[in-house]
Amino acid sequence: MNNLPNCPKCNSEYVYEDGVLLVCPECAYEWDPAEVEAAEAGPVAIDANGNQLADGDTVTLIKDLKVKGAPKDLKQGTRVKNIRIVEGDHNIDCKIDGFGAMKLKSEFVKKI
């Protein structure tokens, strides 16, 4: 028996393979199973060194960052604990000691 997943559109169990794609004969939906697995994984954030970041990681800033409306800048080497990966341009949500809640871009941090 084949172990193919059900159709993500109509949940039909009569899915078949057509090359690298999977096809549903009931609703005519075609999809690549590798793309579905990547989409289900959630948002991905890559640090300045190319390492993949995950929720709960500790990172360090690699450059001074100016913060609008703040009296001082975030300095290079500032440690940020327990990050959260989110969708969007600023893909790290965190709380910095002495600063409060912030959103950072993953390209300005490195994983510890």
Side-chain angles (χ1 to χ4, degrees):
M1 197 79 199
N2 65 9
N3 294 333
L4 298 175
N6 289 351
C7 175
K9 215 169 194 184
C10 69
N11 205 23
S12 171
E13 60 186 24
Y14 303 110
V15 173
Y16 64 92
E17 292 180 273
D18 185 22
V20 295
L21 298 177
L22 296 178
V23 180
C24 175
E26 292 184 2
C27 68
Y29 183 64
E30 297 179 356
W31 73 98
D32 185 359
E35 290 178 7
V36 172
E37 290 174 9
E40 291 174 355
V44 176
I46 307 295
D47 74 354
N49 295 333
N51 299 321
Q52 185 169 348
L53 300 172
D55 290 348
D57 281 348
T58 300
V59 296
T60 303
L61 296 178
I62 62 167
K63 66 181 267 184
D64 291 349
L65 298 175
K66 294 183 180 184
V67 181
K68 280 187 178 179
K72 56 184 179 178
D73 298 342
L74 288 173
K75 297 295 180 185
Q76 177 180 352
T78 301
R79 233 179 210 191
V80 181
K81 299 177 185 174
N82 199 17
I83 65 170
R84 234 175 12 123
I85 307 301
V86 294
E87 293 282 337
D89 186 30
H90 292 75
N91 50 1
I92 296 176
D93 199 12
C94 61
K95 202 176 273 188
I96 299 175
D97 294 335
F99 245 86
M102 298 276 312
K103 288 190 176 253
L104 300 171
K105 290 186 178 186
S106 60
E107 61 208 41
F108 298 124
V109 299
K110 69 177 180 178
K111 189 174 182 177
I112 295 178

XYZ file of all heavy atoms in Angstrom:
852
model
N 0.840 -1.179 0.000
C 0.000 0.000 0.000
C 0.891 1.251 0.000
O 1.909 1.287 0.661
C -0.863 -0.054 1.259
C -2.057 0.832 1.250
S -3.354 0.076 0.273
C -4.335 1.466 -0.027
N 0.498 2.267 -0.730
C 1.312 3.477 -0.746
C 1.013 4.336 0.485
O -0.087 4.348 1.011
C 1.111 4.253 -2.049
C -0.304 4.786 -2.208
O -1.105 4.729 -1.297
N -0.606 5.289 -3.384
N 2.012 5.056 0.945
C 1.884 5.894 2.132
C 1.870 7.362 1.745
O 2.589 8.160 2.333
C 3.031 5.614 3.102
C 2.972 4.220 3.657
O 1.905 3.638 3.739
N 4.109 3.680 4.037
N 1.069 7.727 0.767
C 0.988 9.107 0.331
C 0.035 9.889 1.232
O -0.958 9.344 1.710
C 0.510 9.175 -1.118
C 1.418 8.507 -2.155
C 0.779 8.530 -3.524
C 2.766 9.189 -2.189
N 0.317 11.181 1.460
C -0.578 11.984 2.306
C -1.888 12.294 1.582
O -1.968 12.213 0.357
C 0.221 13.261 2.538
C 1.110 13.367 1.352
C 1.454 11.944 0.982
N -2.901 12.639 2.343
C -4.165 13.065 1.750
C -3.997 14.416 1.080
O -3.070 15.170 1.386
C -5.256 13.152 2.821
C -5.677 11.782 3.314
O -5.290 10.762 2.767
N -6.471 11.776 4.357
N -4.902 14.737 0.181
C -4.872 16.013 -0.528
C -5.054 17.153 0.479
O -5.980 17.134 1.281
C -5.984 16.051 -1.566
S -6.130 17.633 -2.413
N -4.171 18.183 0.441
C -4.310 19.299 1.382
C -5.512 20.192 1.086
O -5.956 20.935 1.948
C -3.006 20.081 1.227
C -2.420 19.644 -0.056
C -2.966 18.293 -0.363
N -6.066 20.096 -0.120
C -7.189 20.948 -0.487
C -8.539 20.307 -0.143
O -9.374 20.932 0.492
C -7.122 21.248 -1.977
C -7.581 22.621 -2.344
C -7.245 22.930 -3.770
C -7.421 24.412 -3.983
N -7.214 24.773 -5.356
N -8.735 19.046 -0.553
C -10.039 18.411 -0.347
C -9.972 17.204 0.587
O -10.993 16.568 0.842
C -10.635 17.987 -1.675
S -9.777 16.614 -2.481
N -8.784 16.870 1.076
C -8.555 15.756 2.007
C -8.897 14.384 1.407
O -9.235 13.453 2.124
C -9.317 15.984 3.317
C -8.659 15.253 4.464
O -7.485 14.939 4.416
N -9.433 14.980 5.493
N -8.810 14.272 0.093
C -9.063 13.010 -0.579
C -7.911 12.036 -0.322
O -6.751 12.422 -0.268
C -9.203 13.230 -2.088
O -9.244 11.993 -2.775
N -8.219 10.775 -0.191
C -7.194 9.762 0.049
C -6.698 9.121 -1.243
O -5.779 8.322 -1.225
C -7.722 8.689 0.984
C -8.934 7.957 0.449
C -9.524 6.986 1.449
O -9.329 7.163 2.644
O -10.191 6.035 0.988
N -7.271 9.488 -2.401
C -6.918 8.875 -3.673
C -5.838 9.652 -4.419
O -5.951 9.934 -5.603
C -8.170 8.741 -4.549
C -9.251 7.951 -3.874
C -10.419 8.572 -3.445
C -9.099 6.600 -3.639
C -11.403 7.862 -2.813
C -10.080 5.873 -3.005
C -11.235 6.513 -2.591
O -12.200 5.802 -1.959
N -4.770 9.992 -3.723
C -3.668 10.769 -4.289
C -2.705 9.830 -5.010
O -2.490 8.707 -4.572
C -2.948 11.535 -3.157
C -1.698 12.217 -3.660
C -3.894 12.533 -2.521
N -2.131 10.301 -6.128
C -1.128 9.515 -6.831
C 0.057 10.394 -7.212
O -0.035 11.614 -7.226
C -1.724 8.831 -8.076
C -2.216 9.775 -9.147
C -1.375 10.179 -10.179
C -3.528 10.238 -9.139
C -1.818 11.026 -11.169
C -3.986 11.090 -10.122
C -3.125 11.479 -11.130
O -3.582 12.329 -12.108
N 1.189 9.735 -7.497
C 2.409 10.435 -7.871
C 2.462 10.639 -9.380
O 2.095 9.751 -10.144
C 3.637 9.639 -7.448
C 3.822 9.559 -5.948
C 5.053 8.761 -5.570
O 4.916 7.534 -5.454
O 6.119 9.383 -5.415
N 2.951 11.803 -9.783
C 3.188 12.102 -11.191
C 4.546 12.792 -11.268
O 4.643 14.009 -11.195
C 2.084 13.001 -11.747
C 2.235 13.239 -13.246
O 2.905 12.424 -13.918
O 1.690 14.241 -13.739
N 5.607 12.001 -11.367
C 6.962 12.535 -11.319
C 7.285 12.937 -9.891
O 7.173 12.124 -8.978
N 7.649 14.210 -9.680
C 7.947 14.684 -8.324
C 6.713 15.280 -7.654
O 6.732 15.578 -6.459
C 9.085 15.729 -8.325
C 10.384 15.109 -8.788
C 8.726 16.935 -9.156
N 5.646 15.471 -8.412
C 4.426 16.063 -7.870
C 3.446 14.999 -7.394
O 3.474 13.864 -7.862
C 3.734 16.924 -8.931
C 4.496 18.128 -9.466
C 3.696 18.817 -10.556
C 4.803 19.109 -8.349
N 2.589 15.398 -6.485
C 1.464 14.564 -6.080
C 0.210 15.185 -6.671
O 0.075 16.405 -6.724
C 1.352 14.500 -4.557
C 2.514 13.837 -3.830
C 2.301 13.877 -2.325
C 2.710 12.406 -4.285
N -0.739 14.344 -7.125
C -1.930 14.814 -7.811
C -3.162 14.216 -7.157
O -3.192 13.026 -6.810
C -1.899 14.423 -9.307
C -3.131 14.913 -10.039
C -0.646 14.938 -9.970
N -4.192 15.038 -6.977
C -5.479 14.575 -6.457
C -6.437 14.427 -7.631
O -6.702 15.399 -8.341
C -6.029 15.583 -5.451
S -7.689 15.151 -4.878
N -6.981 13.236 -7.874
C -7.882 13.056 -9.013
C -9.267 13.664 -8.785
O -9.993 13.910 -9.741
C -7.984 11.530 -9.146
C -7.688 11.015 -7.789
C -6.726 11.978 -7.181
N -9.629 13.939 -7.551
C -10.963 14.474 -7.275
C -11.062 15.977 -7.506
O -12.042 16.460 -8.047
C -11.380 14.122 -5.852
C -11.609 12.627 -5.685
C -12.115 12.260 -4.305
O -12.332 13.170 -3.478
O -12.296 11.062 -4.066
N -10.042 16.740 -7.066
C -10.105 18.196 -7.235
C -9.052 18.715 -8.209
O -8.960 19.912 -8.437
C -9.971 18.900 -5.893
S -8.346 18.754 -5.114
N -8.223 17.830 -8.761
C -7.178 18.154 -9.749
C -6.088 19.059 -9.180
O -5.429 19.783 -9.914
C -7.779 18.765 -11.005
N -5.874 19.024 -7.880
C -4.832 19.829 -7.244
C -3.499 19.111 -7.353
O -3.418 17.908 -7.097
C -5.197 20.078 -5.778
C -4.218 20.956 -5.040
C -4.025 22.281 -5.403
C -3.481 20.456 -3.978
C -3.129 23.090 -4.735
C -2.578 21.270 -3.295
C -2.415 22.577 -3.683
O -1.524 23.374 -3.018
N -2.446 19.839 -7.747
C -1.097 19.291 -7.849
C -0.193 20.048 -6.891
O -0.277 21.268 -6.792
C -0.552 19.442 -9.275
C -1.340 18.692 -10.316
C -0.778 18.895 -11.710
O 0.177 19.681 -11.874
O -1.293 18.271 -12.635
N 0.689 19.332 -6.183
C 1.605 19.982 -5.245
C 2.868 19.164 -5.091
O 2.906 17.984 -5.397
C 0.931 20.210 -3.894
C 0.725 18.975 -3.068
C 1.514 18.528 -2.063
C -0.333 18.025 -3.164
N 1.020 17.379 -1.521
C -0.123 17.036 -2.190
C -1.443 17.893 -3.993
C -0.962 15.955 -1.997
C -2.280 16.815 -3.807
C -2.031 15.864 -2.823
N 3.909 19.862 -4.643
C 5.197 19.242 -4.367
C 5.260 18.973 -2.860
O 5.173 19.909 -2.068
C 6.328 20.176 -4.790
C 7.701 19.549 -4.647
O 7.795 18.390 -4.193
O 8.691 20.224 -4.990
N 5.389 17.722 -2.431
C 5.381 17.429 -0.998
C 6.534 18.090 -0.235
O 6.393 18.407 0.939
C 5.472 15.911 -0.924
C 5.890 15.452 -2.262
C 5.526 16.520 -3.236
N 7.667 18.356 -0.889
C 8.792 19.016 -0.223
C 8.447 20.463 0.128
O 8.842 20.963 1.177
C 10.026 18.976 -1.111
N 7.696 21.149 -0.742
C 7.296 22.530 -0.471
C 6.288 22.602 0.664
O 6.307 23.529 1.463
C 6.708 23.169 -1.723
C 7.723 23.433 -2.801
C 7.108 24.017 -4.064
O 5.901 24.341 -4.057
O 7.838 24.144 -5.047
N 5.398 21.624 0.763
C 4.407 21.600 1.838
C 5.097 21.420 3.180
O 4.766 22.090 4.152
C 3.370 20.474 1.594
C 2.460 20.311 2.794
C 2.564 20.766 0.344
N 6.101 20.549 3.253
C 6.830 20.340 4.501
C 7.582 21.596 4.912
O 7.627 21.949 6.084
C 7.812 19.180 4.355
C 7.139 17.833 4.254
C 8.116 16.715 3.976
O 9.341 16.965 4.022
O 7.664 15.603 3.702
N 8.165 22.321 3.955
C 8.886 23.554 4.261
C 7.940 24.642 4.753
O 8.274 25.408 5.656
C 9.654 24.033 3.042
N 6.738 24.719 4.182
C 5.767 25.723 4.598
C 5.224 25.433 5.994
O 4.930 26.347 6.755
C 4.621 25.784 3.595
N 5.092 24.162 6.351
C 4.578 23.791 7.661
C 5.604 24.022 8.763
O 5.257 24.101 9.928
C 4.148 22.330 7.665
C 2.914 22.054 6.832
C 2.594 20.573 6.747
O 3.381 19.752 7.248
O 1.548 20.254 6.174
N 6.872 24.149 8.398
C 7.927 24.329 9.392
C 7.850 25.694 10.064
O 8.357 25.858 11.160
C 9.292 24.149 8.746
N 7.226 26.674 9.441
C 7.097 28.001 10.025
C 8.181 28.935 9.543
O 8.956 28.620 8.643
N 8.265 30.104 10.158
C 9.258 31.091 9.719
C 10.680 30.633 10.019
O 10.936 29.961 11.008
C 8.899 32.343 10.521
C 8.128 31.854 11.686
C 7.448 30.587 11.251
N 11.606 31.021 9.156
C 13.009 30.670 9.309
C 13.818 31.951 9.410
O 13.588 32.899 8.658
C 13.492 29.838 8.098
C 14.970 29.547 8.200
C 12.696 28.555 7.989
N 14.749 31.984 10.349
C 15.636 33.137 10.507
C 17.076 32.647 10.472
O 17.428 31.682 11.134
C 15.354 33.860 11.819
N 17.915 33.325 9.688
C 19.320 32.980 9.532
C 20.146 34.132 10.093
O 19.926 35.289 9.738
C 19.672 32.752 8.042
C 18.733 31.733 7.402
C 21.129 32.343 7.902
C 18.835 30.347 7.969
N 21.125 33.817 10.958
C 21.953 34.880 11.545
C 23.044 35.329 10.576
O 23.117 34.863 9.436
C 22.526 34.445 12.894
C 23.667 33.434 12.786
O 23.969 32.972 11.671
O 24.258 33.112 13.820
N 23.900 36.244 11.009
C 24.940 36.821 10.164
C 25.959 35.783 9.697
O 26.594 35.954 8.659
C 25.651 37.943 10.907
N 26.126 34.700 10.448
C 27.089 33.656 10.077
C 26.466 32.515 9.287
O 27.139 31.549 8.965
C 27.756 33.089 11.334
C 28.595 34.117 12.037
O 29.094 35.040 11.418
N 28.744 33.970 13.340
N 25.169 32.588 9.003
C 24.492 31.556 8.233
C 23.895 30.449 9.074
O 23.429 29.447 8.534
N 23.883 30.592 10.388
C 23.270 29.579 11.264
C 21.774 29.823 11.365
O 21.327 30.967 11.433
C 23.877 29.649 12.670
C 25.357 29.381 12.659
O 25.840 28.529 11.933
N 26.094 30.147 13.451
N 21.003 28.743 11.413
C 19.564 28.878 11.566
C 19.226 29.127 13.032
O 19.735 28.445 13.917
C 18.848 27.626 11.071
C 17.347 27.778 11.095
C 16.647 26.661 10.362
O 17.265 25.875 9.648
N 15.355 26.578 10.540
N 18.390 30.123 13.274
C 17.981 30.464 14.629
C 16.659 29.789 14.956
O 15.840 29.549 14.076
C 17.827 31.982 14.766
C 19.074 32.808 14.495
C 18.729 34.289 14.472
C 20.142 32.520 15.527
N 16.460 29.504 16.247
C 15.225 28.874 16.703
C 14.714 29.623 17.927
O 15.450 30.375 18.573
C 15.485 27.411 17.049
N 13.451 29.405 18.252
C 12.878 30.014 19.446
C 13.662 29.587 20.675
O 14.033 28.425 20.819
C 11.420 29.590 19.615
C 10.507 30.213 18.571
O 10.949 31.138 17.873
O 9.344 29.780 18.471
N 13.942 30.540 21.563
C 14.656 30.249 22.802
C 16.158 30.387 22.716
O 16.847 30.264 23.731
N 16.719 30.648 21.528
C 18.170 30.807 21.389
C 18.643 32.092 22.063
O 17.874 33.020 22.293
C 18.572 30.866 19.914
C 18.613 29.507 19.250
O 18.561 28.499 19.967
O 18.691 29.467 18.010
N 19.949 32.136 22.338
C 20.603 33.342 22.824
C 21.510 33.850 21.718
O 22.261 33.088 21.121
C 21.428 33.046 24.091
O 20.543 32.555 25.095
C 22.126 34.284 24.598
N 21.415 35.159 21.429
C 22.194 35.754 20.346
C 22.932 36.985 20.864
O 22.627 37.510 21.934
C 21.303 36.139 19.146
C 20.676 34.921 18.510
C 20.231 37.138 19.551
N 23.907 37.447 20.067
C 24.681 38.642 20.371
C 24.597 39.596 19.188
O 24.656 39.158 18.036
C 26.156 38.279 20.608
O 26.228 37.320 21.650
C 26.966 39.488 20.995
N 24.482 40.896 19.457
C 24.474 41.894 18.384
C 25.870 42.009 17.791
O 26.858 42.005 18.516
C 24.032 43.249 18.920
C 22.608 43.336 19.459
C 22.350 44.737 20.002
C 21.600 43.008 18.389
N 25.945 42.125 16.450
C 27.251 42.204 15.794
C 27.644 43.635 15.442
O 28.746 43.868 14.974
C 27.305 41.323 14.532
C 26.284 41.785 13.506
C 27.128 39.865 14.887
C 26.476 41.175 12.133
N 26.735 44.598 15.656
C 27.056 46.005 15.391
C 26.181 46.889 16.254
O 25.161 46.446 16.770
C 26.908 46.346 13.915
C 25.489 46.261 13.387
C 25.390 46.585 11.921
C 25.080 48.037 11.732
N 24.877 48.455 10.374
N 26.584 48.139 16.436
C 25.767 49.098 17.175
C 24.507 49.393 16.369
O 24.570 49.600 15.156
C 26.528 50.402 17.393
C 27.685 50.248 18.362
O 27.769 49.196 19.025
O 28.501 51.185 18.464
N 23.365 49.407 17.045
C 22.097 49.680 16.381
C 21.449 50.907 16.998
O 21.282 50.984 18.214
C 21.150 48.478 16.519
C 21.608 47.170 15.893
C 20.621 46.054 16.216
C 21.747 47.309 14.388
N 21.089 51.864 16.156
C 20.382 53.048 16.619
C 18.903 52.691 16.770
O 18.334 52.023 15.914
C 20.543 54.198 15.636
C 21.960 54.686 15.538
C 22.080 55.867 14.608
C 23.533 56.298 14.565
N 23.743 57.480 13.765
N 18.306 53.165 17.865
C 16.902 52.882 18.134
C 16.149 54.201 18.154
O 16.489 55.102 18.927
C 16.739 52.151 19.487
C 15.276 51.839 19.747
C 17.570 50.877 19.514
N 15.136 54.318 17.276
C 14.358 55.555 17.212
C 13.672 55.808 18.551
O 13.055 54.910 19.120
C 13.293 55.458 16.130
C 13.789 55.692 14.750
C 12.626 55.742 13.783
C 13.108 56.013 12.396
N 12.000 56.032 11.437
N 13.761 57.025 19.042
C 13.078 57.409 20.258
C 13.752 56.964 21.536
O 13.251 57.216 22.624
N 14.878 56.298 21.437
C 15.589 55.835 22.631
C 16.762 56.779 22.910
O 17.403 57.272 21.980
C 16.095 54.419 22.437
N 17.064 57.020 24.183
C 18.160 57.931 24.508
C 19.543 57.369 24.201
O 20.495 58.117 24.064
C 17.993 58.162 26.008
C 17.246 56.985 26.502
C 16.383 56.534 25.365
N 19.666 56.061 24.087
C 20.967 55.456 23.800
C 20.818 54.346 22.766
O 19.726 53.850 22.521
C 21.596 54.905 25.079
C 20.732 53.917 25.814
C 21.366 53.497 27.115
C 20.438 52.514 27.831
N 20.998 52.030 29.044
N 21.939 53.989 22.142
C 21.953 52.935 21.125
C 22.140 51.575 21.775
O 22.592 51.463 22.913
C 23.102 53.160 20.139
C 22.969 54.464 19.376
O 21.856 55.021 19.356
O 23.975 54.904 18.797
N 21.809 50.527 21.005
C 22.151 49.166 21.427
C 23.584 48.918 20.989
O 23.927 49.105 19.825
C 21.223 48.150 20.766
C 19.788 48.120 21.265
C 18.951 47.195 20.399
C 19.749 47.657 22.699
N 24.429 48.518 21.890
C 25.858 48.365 21.611
C 26.186 46.974 21.072
O 25.525 45.992 21.403
C 26.679 48.612 22.881
C 26.557 50.015 23.426
C 27.154 51.004 22.453
C 27.042 52.408 22.992
N 27.505 53.377 22.042
N 27.230 46.919 20.278
C 27.745 45.655 19.762
C 28.112 44.759 20.943
O 28.683 45.211 21.928
C 28.979 45.906 18.906
C 29.631 44.655 18.389
C 30.862 44.974 17.552
O 31.140 46.127 17.251
N 31.582 43.951 17.180
N 27.780 43.490 20.855
C 28.094 42.549 21.920
C 26.987 42.384 22.940
O 27.102 41.552 23.836
N 25.899 43.151 22.807
C 24.774 43.009 23.730
C 24.149 41.635 23.554
O 23.871 41.213 22.435
C 23.704 44.100 23.465
O 24.306 45.371 23.616
C 22.538 43.960 24.418
N 23.972 40.933 24.659
C 23.399 39.601 24.627
C 21.889 39.674 24.724
O 21.343 40.412 25.544
C 23.901 38.815 25.822
C 24.488 37.526 25.443
C 24.982 36.805 26.622
N 26.091 36.030 26.119
C 26.687 35.103 26.768
N 26.330 34.837 27.993
N 27.663 34.441 26.232
N 21.215 38.900 23.886
C 19.761 38.841 23.888
C 19.376 37.386 24.122
O 19.720 36.511 23.340
C 19.181 39.349 22.547
C 17.674 39.312 22.583
C 19.692 40.741 22.235
N 18.667 37.143 25.219
C 18.290 35.781 25.580
C 16.848 35.498 25.188
O 16.021 36.403 25.131
C 18.435 35.577 27.088
C 19.833 35.759 27.608
C 19.859 35.608 29.112
C 21.232 35.919 29.660
N 21.245 35.916 31.115
N 16.566 34.231 24.955
C 15.212 33.732 24.745
C 14.476 34.471 23.621
O 13.429 35.076 23.842
C 14.418 33.822 26.061
C 13.217 32.920 26.041
O 13.122 32.009 25.230
N 12.283 33.183 26.931
N 15.022 34.406 22.409
C 14.400 35.074 21.264
C 13.213 34.259 20.761
O 13.080 33.069 21.061
C 15.415 35.297 20.118
C 15.885 33.954 19.543
C 16.562 36.160 20.571
C 16.688 34.093 18.270
N 12.350 34.932 19.979
C 11.228 34.285 19.326
C 11.293 34.631 17.846
O 11.485 35.801 17.490
C 9.914 34.817 19.903
C 9.006 33.752 20.390
C 7.760 34.268 21.079
N 7.518 35.685 20.928
C 6.414 36.199 20.415
N 5.449 35.434 19.995
N 6.266 37.500 20.324
N 11.131 33.654 16.970
C 11.163 33.871 15.524
C 9.739 34.163 15.060
O 8.812 33.420 15.371
C 11.713 32.632 14.782
C 13.061 32.204 15.358
C 11.811 32.896 13.291
C 14.132 33.249 15.310
N 9.575 35.278 14.312
C 8.267 35.698 13.819
C 8.360 36.025 12.338
O 9.448 36.156 11.783
C 7.735 36.925 14.603
C 7.463 36.569 16.048
C 8.689 38.084 14.522
N 7.211 36.176 11.694
C 7.152 36.572 10.286
C 7.418 38.063 10.175
O 7.172 38.814 11.108
C 5.758 36.280 9.713
C 5.408 34.822 9.616
C 6.063 34.139 8.439
O 6.426 34.826 7.472
O 6.218 32.918 8.510
N 7.925 38.494 9.045
C 8.085 39.915 8.793
C 9.523 40.318 8.548
O 10.440 39.500 8.560
N 9.713 41.618 8.333
C 11.030 42.179 8.044
C 11.944 42.063 9.263
O 13.091 41.649 9.151
C 10.868 43.643 7.626
C 12.166 44.263 7.159
O 12.998 43.510 6.625
O 12.346 45.480 7.318
N 11.453 42.441 10.418
C 12.185 42.282 11.672
C 11.726 40.950 12.268
O 10.704 40.888 12.940
C 11.886 43.448 12.625
C 12.436 44.744 12.147
N 11.871 45.470 11.122
C 13.516 45.450 12.548
C 12.571 46.562 10.919
N 13.587 46.583 11.771
N 12.495 39.891 12.001
C 12.006 38.551 12.268
C 12.412 37.967 13.616
O 12.218 36.788 13.855
C 12.410 37.597 11.141
C 13.875 37.677 10.804
O 14.622 38.415 11.408
N 14.275 36.907 9.821
N 12.959 38.776 14.512
C 13.266 38.315 15.868
C 12.511 39.202 16.846
O 12.623 40.430 16.806
C 14.778 38.386 16.167
C 15.533 37.430 15.259
C 15.048 38.068 17.625
C 17.036 37.499 15.420
N 11.737 38.586 17.711
C 11.016 39.284 18.761
C 11.703 38.932 20.070
O 11.930 37.755 20.354
C 9.563 38.823 18.763
C 8.638 39.774 19.475
O 9.060 40.895 19.770
O 7.482 39.391 19.728
N 12.075 39.940 20.877
C 12.845 39.656 22.084
C 12.629 40.735 23.126
O 11.982 41.757 22.866
C 14.326 39.548 21.751
S 15.009 41.058 21.048
N 13.197 40.502 24.287
C 13.192 41.482 25.363
C 14.643 41.688 25.768
O 15.330 40.747 26.137
C 12.379 40.947 26.534
C 11.856 42.009 27.456
C 10.989 41.418 28.532
C 9.570 41.309 28.020
N 8.638 40.913 29.072
N 15.113 42.935 25.679
C 16.503 43.255 25.997
C 16.538 43.918 27.367
O 15.796 44.877 27.616
C 17.121 44.179 24.928
C 17.094 43.468 23.573
C 18.535 44.583 25.303
C 17.571 44.302 22.417
N 17.409 43.399 28.249
C 17.537 43.959 29.590
C 17.916 45.434 29.504
O 18.854 45.811 28.809
C 18.591 43.201 30.402
C 18.180 41.765 30.691
O 16.965 41.498 30.704
O 19.075 40.925 30.886
N 17.188 46.290 30.209
C 17.461 47.715 30.211
C 16.839 48.463 29.054
O 16.895 49.683 29.005
N 16.247 47.740 28.082
C 15.628 48.377 26.923
C 14.157 48.030 26.802
O 13.358 48.842 26.383
C 16.362 47.952 25.642
C 17.059 49.084 24.965
C 18.336 49.435 25.338
C 16.453 49.798 23.961
C 18.988 50.480 24.724
C 17.098 50.843 23.338
C 18.367 51.190 23.713
N 13.810 46.786 27.075
C 12.431 46.330 26.939
C 12.221 45.515 25.680
O 13.167 45.003 25.085
N 10.969 45.424 25.260
C 10.600 44.612 24.093
C 11.118 45.256 22.814
O 11.031 46.471 22.632
C 9.096 44.453 24.029
N 11.687 44.432 21.937
C 12.268 44.919 20.677
C 11.998 43.910 19.577
O 11.758 42.747 19.836
C 13.790 45.051 20.789
C 14.309 46.013 21.799
S 14.379 47.693 21.259
C 15.153 47.629 19.704
N 12.082 44.392 18.352
C 12.101 43.533 17.171
C 13.417 43.797 16.469
O 13.789 44.952 16.271
C 10.927 43.830 16.255
C 9.600 43.361 16.804
C 8.534 43.453 15.754
C 7.258 42.888 16.284
N 6.944 41.620 15.706
N 14.128 42.726 16.124
C 15.435 42.843 15.479
C 15.437 42.108 14.152
O 14.662 41.174 13.947
C 16.527 42.240 16.368
C 16.738 42.842 17.748
C 17.688 41.972 18.544
C 17.274 44.241 17.623
N 16.347 42.501 13.289
C 16.588 41.756 12.055
C 17.649 40.707 12.342
O 18.645 40.991 13.008
C 17.064 42.687 10.943
C 15.995 43.623 10.450
C 16.488 44.412 9.264
C 15.394 45.309 8.746
N 15.801 45.984 7.513
N 17.454 39.516 11.826
C 18.374 38.415 12.115
C 19.758 38.639 11.511
O 20.732 38.050 11.973
C 17.797 37.094 11.610
O 17.580 37.141 10.219
N 19.881 39.498 10.525
C 21.182 39.738 9.892
C 22.127 40.530 10.786
O 23.320 40.629 10.497
C 20.992 40.444 8.556
C 20.334 41.786 8.690
C 19.544 42.179 7.454
O 18.864 41.319 6.886
O 19.633 43.352 7.078
N 21.626 41.105 11.884
C 22.465 41.893 12.788
C 22.806 41.154 14.078
O 23.272 41.766 15.032
C 21.792 43.219 13.129
C 21.565 44.091 11.928
C 20.306 44.543 11.610
C 22.622 44.450 11.111
C 20.087 45.335 10.489
C 22.417 45.239 9.990
C 21.151 45.683 9.686
N 22.568 39.847 14.114
C 22.875 39.057 15.311
C 23.668 37.812 14.918
O 23.677 37.414 13.763
C 21.585 38.631 16.064
C 20.806 39.832 16.527
C 20.729 37.706 15.240
N 24.341 37.230 15.914
C 24.980 35.937 15.702
C 24.618 35.039 16.877
O 24.476 35.493 18.010
C 26.499 36.059 15.545
C 27.235 36.468 16.789
C 28.729 36.496 16.535
C 29.455 36.918 17.804
N 30.882 36.919 17.630
N 24.455 33.774 16.570
C 24.056 32.790 17.567
C 25.238 32.467 18.491
O 26.375 32.368 18.047
C 23.592 31.515 16.855
C 22.965 30.490 17.737
C 22.427 29.363 16.872
C 21.751 28.319 17.695
N 21.169 27.283 16.853
N 24.956 32.302 19.766
C 25.994 31.961 20.731
C 26.014 30.456 20.894
O 25.047 29.804 20.997
C 25.744 32.630 22.086
C 25.848 34.130 21.922
C 26.704 32.129 23.119
C 25.573 34.925 23.154
